[in-house]
Amino acid sequence: MPAISSQKPYRVGRSKTGLGLFATKPIKKGTRIIRYYGPILDSRIPEHDDIENKYLFELNGRWTIDGSVRKNLARYINHSCRPNAESDVRPRERKVFIRAIKNIEPGDEINYDYGTDYFKAYLKPIGCKCESCEKKRKKLRAEARAERAKVKARAERKAEKAGAKDLANKDTKSKGFKNKAAKKKKLNGHAVVGANGRARA
């Protein structure tokens, strides 16, 4: 099994979500990148069980790693719904390693899936900001804009048709009025309609 490189192939840097861990060298698929490090907490000890922070990594029902210590650079690895790494959990050894599941190029942000429970508790309420979800949101926004544009265009065409129809109706009415006026003029001067409905000059 590949060992962690003595020369660290990563650095902490600015990410969309704050800080992140970025590759400084090519990392091959299957390589162990970094160990998730911190004190081991025992859930049977009340003081340990009461510790709350977002860097707790549960190994099993009893043991948890408190990754909030500064020495643990793996805590800077952000969540992704389409990650390039994964957590290799070893409950018996009480260790967690982060391993590449894709070839990672220099400059790429290293990320892994935090799991359903963490996602529901911390990420879903604020909206996942991983690259995959950002792309999905951009696509949905673009589709919504296109749909709004289609609806607007349809409404404009409908209004144009209705306007053209109204104009045609007005033309027809005005022609009818002109024809009636012309008929009245033919009755030798002043056309007057009598009580019996007949015109008399």
Side-chain angles (χ1 to χ4, degrees):
M1 200 175 280
I4 296 172
S5 168
S6 57
Q7 292 183 318
K8 294 172 183 175
Y10 51 79
R11 66 171 178 83
V12 176
R14 279 269 156 222
S15 170
K16 284 181 183 177
T17 54
L19 292 172
L21 204 68
F22 294 82
T24 54
K25 297 176 180 179
I27 301 170
K28 287 185 179 178
K29 180 180 176 180
T31 305
R32 274 191 199 169
I33 304 167
I34 191 171
R35 180 180 164 193
Y36 198 93
Y37 174 83
I40 304 296
L41 306 178
D42 185 343
S43 64
R44 295 184 305 178
I45 301 170
E47 306 90 80
H48 286 192
D49 201 37
D50 289 343
I51 292 172
E52 277 293 326
N53 67 61
K54 62 180 182 179
Y55 300 111
L56 297 177
F57 200 116
E58 195 175 278
L59 297 168
N60 56 28
R62 180 177 174 187
W63 303 109
T64 299
I65 297 172
D66 180 2
S68 61
V69 293
R70 291 178 74 85
K71 191 177 176 181
N72 178 34
L73 294 183
R75 71 188 176 136
Y76 294 112
I77 301 175
N78 289 310
H79 165 84
S80 176
C81 295
R82 287 196 180 172
N84 53 21
E86 68 180 0
S87 55
D88 178 10
V89 183
R90 312 252 172 131
R92 284 187 181 181
E93 298 169 37
R94 296 180 200 163
K95 288 180 182 177
V96 172
F97 295 97
I98 307 303
R99 184 178 62 220
I101 55 170
K102 294 177 183 175
N103 289 332
I104 302 171
E105 297 302 320
D108 287 354
E109 186 174 359
I110 299 162
N111 43 53
Y112 67 94
D113 189 339
Y114 284 5
T116 309
D117 293 339
Y118 189 98
F119 186 91
K120 283 179 180 174
Y122 294 99
L123 301 174
K124 197 175 180 181
I126 58 168
C128 180
K129 291 178 175 63
C130 79
E131 196 175 338
S132 170
C133 288
E134 285 288 348
K135 279 181 184 173
K136 206 181 287 180
R137 274 194 291 274
K138 277 182 187 174
K139 188 183 175 186
L140 289 171
R141 282 197 296 267
E143 285 172 358
R145 276 196 303 272
E147 187 56 37
R148 283 196 300 272
K150 274 184 193 175
V151 169
K152 190 180 176 184
R154 273 199 298 266
E156 283 171 358
R157 282 197 301 271
K158 201 173 179 181
E160 278 175 21
K161 278 183 184 176
K165 207 172 185 181
D166 285 348
L167 195 61
N169 286 343
K170 279 179 186 174
D171 282 350
T172 308
K173 281 178 184 174
S174 109
K175 279 177 187 172
F177 179 75
K178 282 176 186 172
N179 289 341
K180 281 180 184 175
K183 279 179 185 175
K184 283 182 180 178
K185 278 181 184 177
K186 281 179 186 177
L187 294 173
N188 235 350
H190 305 288
V192 181
V193 179
N196 59 3
R198 291 182 186 162
R200 47 191 180 81

